[in-house]
Amino acid sequence: QVQLVEAGGGLVQPGGSLRLSCSASGSIFNIYSMGWYRQAPGKQRELVATITSSSRTNYVDSVKGRFTISRINAQNTVYLQMNSVKPEDTAVYYCNLRQASGEYWGKGTLVTVSS
């Protein structure tokens, strides 16, 4: 019905940058929001950033000023630009889409911040 495919994860050194992308396909209409969540080892999944259909953004405090979420509506694609990354950013990052028909998740992409 709806498929979300993430890309861009990998190994990056502290202080470095990374850009994640998520492309949605399938029966997509009336999107409420798209966003990124992450789950670190031993922790529950947390919201990282979201962007609504009206371009309102929301970030968890720990990434404000470092991460930027953006969206290309025509392609149903969302990005997460990650700058000045820290070891504590290490997690599996999941793309999320909310629309009238429900909530959908990608399979996740692993980001490892380590020297």
Side-chain angles (χ1 to χ4, degrees), residues 48-60:
V48 179
T50 60
I51 183 166
T52 70
S53 59
S54 59
S55 299
R56 297 189 303 274
T57 58
N58 183 46
Y59 299 89
V60 66

Side-chain angles (χ1 to χ4, degrees), residues 5-12 17-23 36 78-82 85 91 93 108-112:
V5 179
E6 303 105 330
L11 177 65
V12 62
S17 297
L18 205 64
R19 189 179 75 160
L20 307 183
S21 65
C22 172
S23 296
W36 293 93
V78 65
Y79 299 94
L80 184 68
Q81 179 66 46
M82 305 168 61
V85 297
Y93 285 70
T109 184
L110 176 63
V111 173
T112 302

Side-chain angles (χ1 to χ4, degrees), residues 11-45:
L11 177 65
V12 62
Q13 294 191 143
S17 297
L18 205 64
R19 189 179 75 160
L20 307 183
S21 65
C22 172
S23 296
S25 61
S27 182
I28 301 170
F29 61 95
N30 192 24
I31 295 175
Y32 297 157
S33 69
M34 295 185 71
W36 293 93
Y37 292 68
R38 67 186 181 187
Q39 187 167 25
K43 301 185 67 176
Q44 62 184 7
R45 190 174 301 186

